[in-house]
Amino acid sequence: MDSGATTGTDAAGNTVSGCSFTVVVIHGDSTEKTISYPAPEGKLGAFLEAEGLIESEGADDGMFHTVDGEQAIYNEDKAYWALYEGEEYALQGIDTTPVVDGGVYKLVAVE
């Protein structure tokens, strides 16, 4: 019998039950990685940093330089990570973006 629970994978590739939001990482070489997470309460940036998907050390407030091991530092290489909520460019920073049940967030490397 189907319980209706959804499953996905975490950043380490482990199966996670009851997932309620998804992050799609689009790297500079156009490869994509999709990760499902159970929805925490709080903001997207803090959650993804705690999960190890993003790193903001040394970045200005609301900015992040590393996603899934790939760096994009505007002051060094004119590249950056763009945040999308669904298909729309996010109108707020990752640190103020709330996690929404069923949400799809994209982190896109822009050169």
Side-chain angles (χ1 to χ4, degrees), residues 13-62:
N14 301 311
T15 300
V16 179
S17 297
C19 294
S20 58
F21 83 99
T22 302
V23 175
V24 179
V25 177
I26 303 176
H27 289 275
D29 64 1
S30 299
T31 58
E32 291 187 22
K33 181 177 185 178
T34 301
I35 307 166
S36 297
Y37 293 104
E41 291 187 20
K43 305 299 181 191
L44 184 62
F47 178 80
L48 294 180
E49 191 151 19
E51 287 290 310
L53 185 63
I54 68 169
E55 295 176 27
S56 62
E57 186 174 329
D60 296 330
D61 284 342

Side-chain angles (χ1 to χ4, degrees), residues 1 3 23 28 35 38 43 59-60 73 75 86 91:
M1 173 161 42
S3 66
V23 175
I35 307 166
K43 305 299 181 191
D60 296 330
I73 303 173
N75 290 339
L91 299 178

Side-chain angles (χ1 to χ4, degrees), residues 54-105:
I54 68 169
E55 295 176 27
S56 62
E57 186 174 329
D60 296 330
D61 284 342
M63 301 295 292
F64 49 100
H65 291 315
T66 305
V67 174
D68 195 31
E70 181 179 345
Q71 280 193 332
I73 303 173
Y74 190 79
N75 290 339
E76 293 179 12
D77 53 18
K78 302 297 184 219
Y80 65 96
W81 287 98
L83 171 64
Y84 287 79
E85 294 181 75
E87 297 299 318
E88 300 292 322
Y89 193 84
L91 299 178
Q92 56 193 2
I94 197 165
D95 288 340
T96 57
T97 299
V99 175
V100 177
D101 186 32
V104 176
Y105 305 92

